[in-house]
Amino acid sequence: MKRISTISASMLAFCMNVSATDYYVAPDGDDNNSGSIEAPYHSIKKAIQSAKPGSTIYLREGTYKPNNSDIMRKNAEGVYSCVYDLFTNGIAGSPITISGYPGEKAVIDLSEVRPDERVMGFYVKSDYWHLKDFDIVGIQVTQTGHTQSINVGLFGGSNCIIERVNMHDGMGIGVYATKGSDNLVLNCDAYNNYDPVSENGYGGNCDGFGFHLNGASYTGNVVKGCRAWRNSDDGYDLINNLAPVIIENCWA
C-alpha cells in the first residue's frame, strides 16, 4: 500500500508539471489575450490568477505600472493592501516562477498604488514560489502614523526563493519575513529606500532586509549574496526574531 501511494504521488506531481502552462506578460499586452509569447497578457495579476504548479510567468521588457484597481488582496494581516497575492501553492520540483524574460529588463513601478492601508508588493503566503530577475521601484507609504510598506513579504510561504530581485528608490522595506521555513533570499539588492511620509519622515521602518520570525519552528531561512545601501533604517534587521537566520556573504 505504501508503494502504491508513493507511485501515485509521484505520478500526480509529474502530471501537474506536464500540464502546467507558461504565461507571458508585456506592458503592451492585453488581458483578453491567451497569455502566450505571441499574445501576452497586460497585467501580472492576470498571469498569477492563471498559474499553477510548474508554471513560469515571464515578464517581457518594459515598465509595469499597476494602480489601486490592480490590488489583489486588501486587509491582509489586518493592515496590508497587496498588489500581487501569491495564493496558489507550488509543489516540490514544480514551483511557480515569476521571472524577467532572459536578456530583458522588467521593472515593476508601484508608485501609483496608493491605498489607505499599508502597501505590499508581493504577498507570499504560499509554498514553492520563485521570484527572479526583475526590479521593484517606487513603493509608497500613504499613512502618516507608525506604519511601513513592503516590497516582498514572506508571511507563511515556505521553500520559496527570491533571487536577483532589486528593490530600490521607494518608501518600503525590501524583503520582510514573519513566517515560513526554508526560504532563500539570493543575490538581491535593496537600496535608496526612505519613507518621508510617516512619523514626520523619520524613516525608521525602511530596512533593506528584515526577518522577524514569530515562531521558533520557522527554521532554514537563508539570506545569501545580498546587498543593502542607502536605506533609512537597517541594512539587515532581526529584531524580535525567534528562529535563527543565516546571513551569508552579504554587505550593507
Side-chain angles (χ1 to χ4, degrees), residues 212-227:
H212 312 280
L213 301 168
N214 58 25
S217 63
Y218 298 133
T219 59
N221 292 293
V222 177
V223 182
K224 183 175 182 179
C226 294
R227 304 182 298 179

Side-chain angles (χ1 to χ4, degrees), residues 172-215:
I173 299 164
V175 177
Y176 182 93
T178 62
K179 301 175 185 176
S181 301
D182 301 311
N183 295 303
L184 173 63
V185 182
L186 178 65
N187 296 333
C188 295
D189 287 348
Y191 60 94
N192 289 350
N193 296 303
Y194 163 57
D195 166 17
V197 175
S198 68
E199 299 177 299
N200 297 314
Y202 176 65
N205 291 316
C206 208
D207 303 313
F209 302 87
F211 273 75
H212 312 280
L213 301 168
N214 58 25

Side-chain angles (χ1 to χ4, degrees), residues 5-241:
S5 298
T6 301
I7 292 173
S8 298
S10 299
M11 287 300 295
L12 176 62
F14 174 77
C15 291
M16 292 178 76
N17 189 45
V18 167
S19 62
T21 301
D22 291 341
Y23 297 96
Y24 297 81
V25 188
D28 60 352
D30 189 318
D31 281 354
N32 292 316
N33 287 342
S34 64
S36 68
I37 191 168
E38 297 85 4
Y41 293 141
H42 171 71
S43 71
I44 299 170
K45 172 182 176 178
K46 175 70 173 181
I48 291 171
Q49 291 170 333
S50 304
K52 55 189 173 182
S55 293
T56 296
I57 298 168
Y58 287 106
L59 309 180
R60 300 304 305 266
E61 177 109 20
T63 299
Y64 300 82
K65 205 163 188 177
N67 55 41
N68 284 5
S69 67
D70 294 292
I71 292 170
M72 293 183 68
R73 181 166 179 171
K74 295 185 177 181
N75 203 37
E77 309 298 318
V79 292
Y80 289 99
S81 284
C82 305
V83 184
Y84 303 119
D85 179 15
L86 309 188
F87 58 89
T88 302
N89 283 311
I91 59 175
S94 295
I96 303 173
T97 301
I98 302 176
S99 173
Y101 191 79
E104 298 183 1
K105 185 175 180 62
V107 178
I108 300 171
D109 182 348
L110 300 179
S111 60
E112 292 186 359
V113 179
R114 296 172 178 266
D116 189 22
E117 272 194 309
R118 298 183 178 194
V119 182
M120 192 183 311
F122 287 86
Y123 183 49
V124 188
K125 200 169 184 176
S126 300
D127 301 333
Y128 291 102
W129 278 85
H130 189 177
L131 310 183
K132 67 175 184 177
D133 294 328
F134 58 86
D135 286 21
I136 309 173
V137 302
I139 194 167
Q140 299 292 293
V141 169
T142 60
Q143 298 175 317
T144 58
H146 181 70
T147 188
Q148 64 186 30
S149 290
I150 300 169
N151 285 283
V152 178
L154 297 167
F155 282 83
S158 295
N159 298 288
C160 297
I161 301 173
I162 316 300
E163 180 180 8
R164 294 191 300 273
V165 176
N166 302 316
M167 300 146 287
H168 56 96
D169 295 289
M171 301 181 189
I173 299 164
V175 177
Y176 182 93
T178 62
K179 301 175 185 176
S181 301
D182 301 311
N183 295 303
L184 173 63
V185 182
L186 178 65
N187 296 333
C188 295
D189 287 348
Y191 60 94
N192 289 350
N193 296 303
Y194 163 57
D195 166 17
V197 175
S198 68
E199 299 177 299
N200 297 314
Y202 176 65
N205 291 316
C206 208
D207 303 313
F209 302 87
F211 273 75
H212 312 280
L213 301 168
N214 58 25
S217 63
Y218 298 133
T219 59
N221 292 293
V222 177
V223 182
K224 183 175 182 179
C226 294
R227 304 182 298 179
W229 71 97
R230 288 183 58 83
N231 302 297
S232 61
D233 201 7
D234 302 309
Y236 302 84
D237 188 359
L238 289 90
I239 192 172
N240 300 322
N241 191 53

